[in-house]
Amino acid sequence: MAIQLEINKTTCIKCGRCVKICPAHIFFMESPGSEVKLQNIQNCITCGHCVGVCPTDAVIHSSFPPQKVHKIEQALLPTPEQVLLLCRARRSNRAFSKKPIPGEMLEQVIEAAYRAPTASNQQEVEFTLVTDPEKLKQVIGIAMEIFHSMVKKSQHIFIKPIMKMLMPDIYRSLSRFGYLYESYKKGEDPILRNATSLFLIHTPEKSRFGCEDTNLAYQNASLMAESLGIGHFYTGFLCLALQQDKKGELNRLLRIKGKVHAGMALAMTSFKFINYIDKEDIKLTCL
């Protein structure tokens, strides 16, 4: 359906904010303080910037009816100091408890991820939440068998030098994969660390900025999880298993059509960190 866009001339105060903010240059003014006009409406990427910035609700956009527009209560926003403290406090807490994460908390994590920006506002990011204990066990089992298969193949007289040359990072990790598999055989969970929830972020296979978009979503979700006191960590091993899953077993199990770029294991924690630790000095170049 074609986008319908117009300016309410009665309420428009000609401030020019929509002109300055529109990435598609649809709004324009012939001179400062003159009437706001429209051009090339078909180029609209439905980002909503124009509606979000208008102080008098004069921008009327068919994709953003009144029920989709919400006033921001500026007084409720965290201070810069609070945001920075949250960033300082955020750590990968794997000391999980068996207590389930309340549903409303998971919903907040998901919404935070959903609210992240995407390239050209394509909004191709999709989410899969796994809380079924049996499904989680199956995910772990398939991932471990993938790693076990990689270790076995790496010992082949012809495959070993090729892998060492073409996949040096994975080759160096093979001993770690072997250790993970042995731990798994002993009844441990070296992949999700007994997390009660798994949150996967993915895009269609041909998404041009899939990796970038999903990791922006992950950062939003991670900060929200931290603010809620939910323990979480990036599922790097599982993402690697998904990359090496040539048979597509994990995608079929999780009913994912596309490519998983980021994943998060979540659970309520047994305890919280009480200190934040300074990292190495910032590596910054100022030009």
Side-chain angles (χ1 to χ4, degrees):
M1 182 182 295
I3 291 171
Q4 303 298 314
L5 181 59
E6 60 180 290
I7 303 294
N8 185 328
K9 297 180 180 179
T10 302
T11 56
C12 178
I13 60 174
K14 304 179 179 64
C15 64
R17 295 183 183 183
C18 54
V19 177
K20 294 178 180 178
I21 205 71
C22 179
H25 305 292
I26 292 170
F27 301 81
F28 72 98
M29 303 170 77
E30 293 177 347
S31 61
S34 65
E35 180 180 312
V36 176
K37 297 182 179 180
L38 304 173
Q39 62 186 354
N40 303 319
I41 295 176
Q42 72 278 4
N43 293 338
C44 177
I45 63 172
T46 62
C47 64
H49 285 354
C50 55
V51 177
V53 79
C54 183
T56 60
D57 300 325
V59 178
I60 303 172
H61 196 302
S62 58
S63 296
F64 305 104
Q67 63 269 26
K68 280 195 169 187
V69 182
H70 313 277
K71 292 296 181 186
I72 298 172
E73 297 186 51
Q74 300 290 338
L76 296 180
L77 294 176
T79 65
E81 292 77 16
Q82 289 170 331
V83 173
L84 187 55
L85 180 59
L86 181 62
C87 292
R88 288 168 173 166
R90 183 176 62 168
R91 299 188 72 85
S92 298
N93 190 342
R94 297 176 175 84
F96 293 151
S97 72
K98 295 182 180 180
K99 182 181 178 182
I101 302 172
E104 60 271 21
M105 286 189 176
L106 287 172
E107 288 175 3
Q108 287 176 287
V109 171
I110 293 168
E111 181 176 351
Y114 152 78
R115 294 285 181 181
T118 58
S120 299
N121 196 42
Q122 289 296 300
Q123 300 186 52
E124 295 179 315
V125 179
E126 300 175 5
F127 309 100
T128 296
L129 178 66
V130 186
T131 56
D132 178 9
E134 189 54 41
K135 274 280 193 299
L136 292 172
K137 286 181 182 178
Q138 289 177 281
V139 168
I140 297 162
I142 293 174
M144 293 314 310
E145 289 304 324
I146 289 172
F147 289 148
H148 184 52
S149 175
M150 290 172 62
V151 172
K152 287 198 300 184
K153 287 179 180 177
S154 70
Q155 303 308 313
H156 192 281
I157 189 172
F158 296 119
I159 294 179
K160 185 175 182 178
I162 295 175
M163 181 177 285
K164 191 173 182 179
M165 180 176 62
L166 299 180
M167 297 184 289
D169 291 339
I170 293 178
Y171 181 79
R172 285 192 294 269
S173 300
L174 288 173
S175 60
R176 182 72 183 277
F177 297 157
Y179 170 77
L180 293 177
Y181 187 75
E182 291 304 316
S183 299
Y184 170 69
K185 283 301 182 181
K186 293 177 183 177
E188 299 175 13
D189 173 11
I191 299 295
L192 300 182
R193 304 296 184 92
N194 300 309
T196 57
S197 299
L198 172 63
F199 185 45
L200 297 174
I201 311 175
H202 44 95
T203 61
E205 196 71 40
K206 295 182 179 180
S207 178
R208 185 179 176 187
F209 296 103
C211 182
E212 293 82 356
D213 288 347
T214 51
N215 279 284
L216 285 171
Y218 178 91
Q219 293 301 329
N220 268 24
S222 177
L223 287 170
M224 176 56 75
E226 188 70 36
S227 73
L228 292 167
I230 299 174
H232 61 286
F233 65 87
Y234 192 95
T235 56
F237 282 126
L238 180 57
C239 288
L240 178 58
L242 282 156
Q243 292 172 15
Q244 300 300 316
D245 183 14
K246 307 307 179 185
K247 297 179 181 178
E249 291 182 79
L250 285 167
N251 276 41
R252 283 195 299 274
L253 173 67
L254 300 170
R255 300 182 213 169
I256 294 175
K257 294 180 179 179
K259 187 172 183 179
V260 176
H261 297 279
M264 178 186 295
L266 307 103
M268 301 308 293
T269 59
S270 300
F271 48 79
K272 300 182 185 301
F273 287 95
I274 57 174
N275 301 311
Y276 71 81
I277 312 299
D278 288 336
K279 297 186 174 184
E280 294 180 4
D281 292 344
I282 296 175
K283 299 175 179 65
L284 172 66
T285 300
C286 296
L287 302 175

